Amino acid sequence: MSSTFGNYLRVTTFGESHGKAVGAVLDGFPANVPLNDGDIQVQLDRRRPGQSSITTPRNESDILRILSGVENGKTLGTPIALIVENSDQRPNDYSTNALPRPSHADYTYMMKYGAAASSGGGRASARETVGRVAAGAAAEIFLRERFGVEIVAFVSSVGGIDAPVCVWYDINTPPDNSDKNVVNSIDINTINKTGVDQNPVRCPDQQSAKRMEEFIKSVKDDGDSIGGIITCVCRGVPAGWGEPVFQKLEAQLAQAMMSIPAAKGFEIGAGFASAAMRGSEHNDLFIKKPNGLGTQTNRSGGIQGGISNGEPIYFRVAFKPTATIGKEQKTADYQGNETTLKPAGRHDPCVLPRAVPVVESMAALVLADMALAQTARQNC
Ligand SMILES: Cc1cc2nc3c(=O)[nH]c(=O)nc-3n(C[C@H](O)[C@H](O)[C@H](O)COP(=O)(O)O)c2cc1C
């Protein structure tokens, strides 16, 4: 079951990096949701390789085909099969597969399965995330249509260059971004995908984005790679989603995010910073809001007790530097003999810009699953 995720809405992804195709089967998706290839293609285009000089040059157009579950632009309630054919396969780029790539998944896959895809990381490749993004885009549409939920992720840090993100401010003192050309602080209550896509880094603060882009280029010129952080906000989630105790909303989000290749850290709300705060500094005080009770600040990140509280849900995901680099690396073969790994294969110098839609998609799959769980509970 390791390639299947979710309870009420179940996604199964399939396909290897240099095999014939990748994709997903989405089961449990409600009927009569408007859905067509174009809606999903938008998110796949944001994930696809070859988008800019700071992503891998692998040339895949990633054209989606919906094989089942949708008719006349509406879902049927039956399994939705989503497929993308691989066109730019170059298995020979990985003829060094005899050597496990440092900090990639070659060694561990071989130890676990005793077999490995002949090239390019197989299921451990980011190519697997095509299925997640296709399925997640459909889940995002369901959430928007039925509940008005909006999910936006963006790059908030690259190699220690931090964009000014404003997350847990007091609603009485919001950030002043009146000059739209200068974003003093990215406000997670208003940020949207168009703002995020204004530069190839997908950081909505133009000044930070420029510095990040230059840094990624210089790291790439050095034949190296760099990591960073993606921040994600989910707005419009009603109070009551999340299934304590083992399927608390933040626990499901953490699992979903940590299943993304190269993800190395997850933080909800004030997260690790809360460890240094006093209760009087951290507590989100209740106030009256148009739809009922709300909070004045949002250090909890929209979740308390594993259940959404109606405030925006926000979290951060840390990504490591890409394992495949353009430098020679001293390493060992499977027998333990010292050797040198020559640079080979195409790779992303920084996975962050392409990981943005992957984070949004995994968030959508979790929230849609929780929405259906809560609906089932309420209908009993
Ligand atoms: C969008 C995206 C693109 C990626 N591109 C590459 C890449 O070009 N080269 C590489 O070595 N790893 C890349 N990765 C990460 C590897 O797939 C990942 O590091 C590998 O499977 C090992 O898993 P782990 O880092 O989670 O332990 C990418 C990850 C994502 C999310």
Side-chain angles (χ1 to χ4, degrees):
M1 290 290 285
S2 56
S3 286
T4 299
F5 181 76
N7 293 310
Y8 289 81
L9 180 66
R10 290 200 151 196
V11 61
T12 301
T13 70
F14 61 86
E16 285 85 33
S17 178
H18 289 261
K20 288 200 172 77
V22 285
V25 176
L26 201 48
D27 200 4
F29 201 92
N32 292 315
V33 178
L35 189 67
N36 59 55
D37 309 38
D39 298 331
I40 297 179
Q41 193 65 53
V42 174
Q43 279 292 73
L44 285 174
D45 289 348
R46 298 175 82 217
R47 193 222 72 96
R48 88 177 180 82
Q51 292 178 53
S52 73
S53 60
I54 56 167
T55 59
T56 173
R58 179 171 172 166
N59 188 15
E60 294 282 358
S61 48
D62 282 357
I63 302 298
L64 173 87
R65 278 193 300 144
I66 302 179
L67 298 184
S68 67
V70 181
E71 220 174 75
N72 301 323
K74 287 215 166 145
T75 55
L76 294 168
T78 52
I80 302 173
L82 306 159
I83 190 167
V84 167
E85 272 160 41
N86 293 331
S87 52
D88 192 11
Q89 300 129 278
R90 285 197 207 164
N92 294 338
D93 269 8
Y94 300 88
S95 50
T96 47
N97 258 16
L99 295 180
R101 285 168 295 170
S103 288
H104 212 292
D106 308 324
Y107 176 74
T108 48
Y109 263 59
M110 187 56 88
M111 289 303 104
K112 179 168 184 63
Y113 298 107
S118 59
S119 55
R123 290 282 291 161
S125 158
R127 196 100 196 103
E128 180 271 332
T129 63
V130 165
R132 298 171 186 241
V133 171
E140 222 178 316
I141 289 161
F142 161 66
L143 289 165
R144 196 168 54 229
E145 288 288 323
R146 294 285 164 90
F147 300 96
V149 169
E150 196 182 0
I151 302 173
V152 185
F154 58 91
V155 174
S156 51
S157 180
V158 166
I161 302 170
D162 295 327
V165 185
C166 199
V167 280
W168 2 291
Y169 61 83
D170 190 314
I171 54 163
N172 297 323
T173 52
D176 176 19
N177 286 323
S178 43
D179 181 352
K180 292 292 167 219
N181 296 318
V182 185
V183 179
N184 300 315
S185 189
I186 301 162
D187 181 356
I188 60 149
N189 290 297
T190 54
I191 186 70
N192 58 33
K193 284 187 179 37
T194 312
V196 171
D197 284 353
Q198 268 169 16
N199 57 67
V201 180
R202 293 210 163 87
C203 169
D205 176 57
Q206 302 304 330
Q207 286 172 4
S208 307
K210 193 134 204 60
R211 288 176 61 210
M212 289 172 183
E213 185 179 353
E214 278 161 15
F215 189 50
I216 295 170
K217 279 184 181 157
S218 74
V219 163
K220 185 184 169 192
D221 290 345
D222 287 348
D224 220 325
S225 64
I226 191 75
I229 298 171
I230 289 179
T231 298
C232 182
V233 57
C234 311
R235 295 188 294 251
V237 176
W241 291 3
E243 297 294 314
V245 288
F246 294 115
Q247 290 180 23
K248 288 180 171 181
L249 189 45
E250 71 263 56
Q252 293 300 97
L253 285 170
Q255 190 200 338
M257 296 307 145
M258 292 303 286
S259 76
I260 300 173
K264 294 296 147 201
F266 175 83
E267 182 182 70
I268 183 91
F272 281 82
S274 19
M277 289 182 194
R278 295 176 180 226
S280 56
E281 292 169 313
H282 183 270
N283 289 351
D284 297 316
L285 306 182
F286 285 110
I287 53 168
K288 190 168 168 11
K289 285 199 176 174
N291 295 332
L293 214 51
T295 60
Q296 190 166 330
T297 50
N298 187 13
R299 297 187 185 94
S300 306
I303 303 175
Q304 283 152 346
I307 304 171
S308 57
N309 65 1
E311 296 294 327
I313 291 170
Y314 71 86
F315 57 85
R316 305 200 306 159
V317 189
F319 286 87
K320 74 181 193 185
T322 322
T324 314
I325 55 174
K327 283 181 195 287
E328 276 194 4
Q329 295 179 87
K330 281 217 158 96
T331 183
D333 64 17
Y334 281 98
Q335 288 69 45
N337 303 309
E338 280 185 21
T339 183
T340 304
L341 179 68
K342 301 251 184 293
R346 295 154 292 175
H347 62 270
D348 291 285
C350 176
V351 307
L352 279 283
R354 294 182 55 221
V356 163
V358 186
V359 167
E360 289 171 346
S361 294
M362 292 311 294
L365 288 166
V366 169
L367 290 176
D369 194 31
M370 292 292 153
L372 293 175
Q374 179 66 353
T375 309
R377 191 182 287 280
Q378 285 169 332
N379 288 345
C380 280

